[in-house]
Amino acid sequence: MDIWTLLSDVVLLLSACLVMGGVFSRLGQSPLVGYLLAGMFLGGPGSFQLVKSEHEIEAIAELGVSLLLFSLGLEFSISRLKKLGPVPLIGGALQVVLTLLAAAGVAHLFGYTAGESTAIGAMVALSSTAVVLRTLMERQELETPYGSNSLGVLLIQDIAVVPLAILISLLAGGDDAGSVIANIGRVLAVASGLIIGLYLLLNVVAYYALSALELARNRELTILLSAVTGLGSAWAAHKAGISPALGAFVAGMFLGSSPYATQVRADISPLRVLLLTLFFGSAGMIADPVWIVQNALMLFIAVAVLLTLKFVIITLIFLCFQNLLQTSLATAVCLSQVGEFAFVLGRIAGDAGVISEATLNLFVSVTIVSLFLSPFLVAKSNRIARRILSLFPKSFTSTTVDSSTKTHHADVLIVGFGPAGQIAGRAAVERNLETAVIDINRSNIRKAVQLGMYGQVGDATQFDVLEHSHVGSVKVVVITLPNVKATIAISDYIRQLAPQAHIIVRSRYQRDSDEILSSGADIVFGDEYEVGQQIGNHLCDWISNYQQKEKPEESQDVNPA
């Protein structure tokens, strides 16, 4: 094909992605949905077919997937995983495995082969990191229990992309056991050789060579290093007959332990964004808008079944880890969609002949609809959880209360027992004040009991929880939650139940102080103001000490005569 025709198509697709991505971002949606719709209407079956070079663009876009996995490798860190704690991480691993098995089982019941069913299960098992984290961060809900759960599961899902891609590659040998075993042996042998080769190249040869090149003084060299490492490892894996994404991930993981990792991550970002935009645009070309309209009922049934399946599995997993029912439900709502990595795994499965073109078209369409619904579901996750909770009998959803809270009326009530709540709680206990704590996190309640307080597991945004906590008799209420909407609701409820109580609120942002005060709080301590005040005090003390040290030296220079 003429290079200028290809360039014209690339520019046209990127322009459409720019416009559609901007529109959907403005509407509160993920730009990814805009990229997918741009590709759907510009190329492929049932579209305007303005882009003719779809196969060439797909080939270029494959590099975007490799660079995405390369970036994930750079971010991979055992210490980062430990910070999240065991519950979200173990829950994430269980979620991937159980969802894969359940979705594969449902697909098999509908007549798909074992290989196709497994590939479908792998695609469905992953949620949308881009949509979920962006929405939670915008709503300041990432630090909530369901936000923390979602973060842990999404991180495990990102890591699971590589083994799932390997699994799909293994299925390419056929459905019979002999072919699969032979393929496993071949892939393991080739992958082992590639890993050893990349380790020696990046940790021995490249490390000393790059040190000699003085990358710190030559910014363009780090850019070249990023491109050569990310794209070169993908090429090496392709030549070895395994997934290019696997090679790029391994290279990123090895390079991530080098002193150049931070700069490489920054330098590779623009190229990765460009190629990934092309990837999602080309993925949209697989979907047929005419087919989607004609099969809308079947498509929405498939979406509903898959969302419900993931929702039930995730809820049960977190209930088994003793999360509150509302927290488990909210986490499940956040993660029930099919994520953007379904396109990555779907492309690998399609290229390997594991799934048919019709099956790929169906699940690309399912994923597009799922991603379109995701921002609404994530934004309303806690409200949806409460609505579902209201359908259960009260005896089933009643909050677990420490037995000591039933007979004690506290002087101080602390809502939210994170670091700020713990500091306030210790101060109250040291002054022999009866102190009670309400927190949705069981581990925080255990800390409160160990410190001599009375703990109650519950969601303080529910009127009944505050009422059963005897809040009407408390003298002081301290609210330390990071979510401003939850803080305002709690402050309003407490003002109704305990008009005499002095309400102290911690706010993350200074801009929210007026709204919190208007809801009934007596005083608001903003993180930004308090940190700034502490820095200012320290700065003044340091300058004062510095000036005192300088004065003796100046006096010595003065001539007594």
Side-chain angles (χ1 to χ4, degrees):
M1 168 165 288
D2 179 24
I3 185 64
W4 296 110
T5 303
L6 175 59
L7 180 60
S8 173
D9 286 344
V10 168
V11 171
L12 177 60
L13 180 58
L14 288 176
S15 300
C17 289
L18 173 64
V19 174
M20 294 293 287
V23 169
F24 277 83
S25 180
R26 182 74 175 175
L27 295 174
Q29 287 279 342
S30 169
L32 297 182
V33 179
Y35 304 157
L36 293 166
L37 292 180
M40 185 192 302
F41 288 104
L42 285 182
S47 69
F48 295 112
Q49 296 188 340
L50 298 177
V51 173
K52 306 295 183 184
S53 314
E54 54 183 283
H55 297 297
E56 289 80 2
I57 291 175
E58 286 175 9
I60 298 173
E62 288 295 332
L63 298 176
V65 178
S66 298
L67 290 182
L68 175 62
L69 271 294
F70 178 67
S71 299
L72 282 178
L74 289 170
E75 296 282 357
F76 185 79
S77 168
I78 300 298
S79 60
R80 185 184 178 194
L81 298 177
K82 288 180 179 178
K83 287 179 182 178
L84 292 170
V87 172
L89 301 181
I90 298 172
L94 284 173
Q95 183 272 320
V96 171
V97 173
L98 295 179
T99 305
L100 189 154
L101 295 174
V106 172
H108 197 62
L109 290 176
F110 280 90
Y112 290 99
T113 64
E116 277 189 310
S117 299
T118 304
I120 290 169
M123 293 164 63
V124 170
L126 304 178
S127 306
S128 176
T129 302
V131 174
V132 175
L133 292 188
R134 177 181 174 178
T135 306
L136 289 175
M137 284 190 290
E138 286 178 349
R139 296 178 57 81
Q140 303 174 23
E141 295 176 355
L142 199 56
E143 295 180 15
T144 60
Y146 56 89
S148 178
N149 286 345
S150 299
L151 177 60
V153 172
L154 289 169
L155 184 58
I156 291 298
Q157 288 180 354
D158 287 348
I159 296 171
V161 172
V162 173
L164 290 177
I166 296 173
L167 174 64
I168 291 174
S169 299
L170 295 176
L171 297 173
D175 285 338
D176 60 286
S179 299
V180 172
I181 292 173
N183 206 25
I184 288 174
R186 181 189 67 81
V187 171
L188 289 178
V190 173
S192 299
L194 178 66
I195 290 171
I196 293 171
L198 286 173
Y199 177 81
L200 294 174
L201 182 64
L202 294 174
N203 286 273
V204 181
V205 179
Y207 181 80
Y208 291 106
L210 293 171
S211 298
L213 289 173
E214 296 183 336
L215 262 65
R217 299 183 184 180
N218 297 279
R219 174 68 189 282
E220 63 272 16
L221 293 181
T222 60
I223 297 174
L224 291 174
L225 169 67
S226 307
V228 169
T229 307
L231 300 178
S233 56
W235 171 82
H238 172 71
K239 294 297 288 185
I242 60 177
S243 168
L246 172 62
F249 178 82
V250 172
M253 193 167 60
F254 287 148
L255 197 59
S257 59
S258 77
Y260 310 111
T262 301
Q263 190 60 54
V264 168
R265 195 181 300 119
D267 289 333
I268 206 72
S269 181
L271 182 60
R272 176 174 60 87
V273 170
L274 180 65
L275 294 176
L276 273 178
T277 302
L278 283 177
F279 171 77
F280 286 113
S282 63
M285 293 181 192
I286 301 173
D288 183 349
V290 175
W291 182 90
I292 290 175
V293 172
Q294 292 175 344
N295 298 272
L297 180 60
M298 180 189 72
L299 178 61
F300 281 102
I301 290 174
V303 172
V305 169
L306 293 176
L307 290 180
T308 303
L309 182 68
K310 290 187 73 173
F311 173 82
V312 171
I313 290 172
I314 295 169
T315 299
L316 293 176
I317 287 173
F318 282 98
L319 279 176
C320 290
F321 283 107
Q322 296 188 329
N323 275 232
L324 289 178
L325 179 57
Q326 181 176 330
T327 303
S328 303
L329 291 170
T331 304
V333 173
C334 287
L335 300 173
S336 59
Q337 77 287 133
V338 182
E340 58 273 2
F341 275 117
F343 300 113
V344 177
L345 298 179
R347 184 65 60 82
I348 294 172
D351 292 343
V354 177
I355 61 175
S356 65
E357 193 70 28
T359 302
L360 182 58
N361 183 24
L362 170 62
F363 278 91
V364 166
S365 303
V366 166
T367 305
I368 291 173
V369 175
S370 172
L371 286 174
F372 187 83
L373 296 173
S374 295
F376 299 109
L377 292 174
V378 177
K380 304 295 183 184
S381 56
N382 206 28
R383 186 177 300 180
I384 294 172
R386 288 182 197 164
R387 185 66 58 87
I388 296 173
L389 206 61
S390 66
L391 301 176
F392 290 93
K394 281 220 170 185
S395 58
F396 185 79
T397 61
S398 59
T399 305
T400 303
V401 182
D402 186 273
S403 58
S404 59
T405 59
K406 295 179 180 179
T407 56
H408 287 83
H409 296 267
D411 300 310
V412 179
L413 174 66
I414 299 176
V415 180
F417 205 62
Q422 290 170 27
I423 292 171
R426 288 190 183 98
V429 170
E430 287 172 0
R431 287 158 178 78
N432 297 319
L433 295 173
E434 295 287 337
T435 305
V437 174
I438 300 177
D439 197 295
I440 205 167
N441 191 320
R442 292 175 188 269
S443 63
N444 286 343
I445 293 301
R446 284 194 289 270
K447 290 178 185 176
V449 173
Q450 290 170 1
L451 292 171
M453 306 171 205
Y454 310 110
Q456 176 175 340
V457 179
D459 180 5
T461 60
Q462 292 182 325
F463 190 85
D464 289 346
V465 171
L466 291 172
E467 192 173 31
H468 292 311
S469 303
H470 306 292
V471 72
S473 61
V474 299
K475 299 178 178 66
V476 181
V477 178
V478 181
I479 306 172
T480 67
L481 301 180
N483 188 332
V484 64
K485 293 184 179 178
T487 297
I488 290 170
I490 294 168
S491 180
D492 183 54
Y493 288 156
I494 290 172
R495 189 51 71 206
Q496 296 176 44
L497 291 167
Q500 81 292 343
H502 182 70
I503 302 176
I504 304 170
V505 174
R506 165 251 180 158
S507 171
R508 291 190 66 183
Y509 301 105
Q510 196 67 24
R511 64 173 181 261
D512 298 324
S513 298
D514 292 339
E515 190 176 3
I516 294 172
L517 287 170
S518 65
S519 69
D522 291 295
I523 187 169
V524 176
F525 292 95
D527 290 1
E528 294 173 326
Y529 177 81
E530 295 301 321
V531 170
Q533 190 72 30
Q534 291 291 332
I535 292 173
N537 291 339
H538 176 77
L539 179 60
C540 291
D541 292 341
W542 186 89
I543 291 173
S544 177
N545 292 332
Y546 179 79
Q547 289 174 340
Q548 288 177 3
K549 290 178 182 178
E550 288 292 306
K551 282 180 181 180
E553 296 178 5
E554 291 175 2
S555 61
Q556 290 174 7
D557 295 336
V558 177
N559 189 343

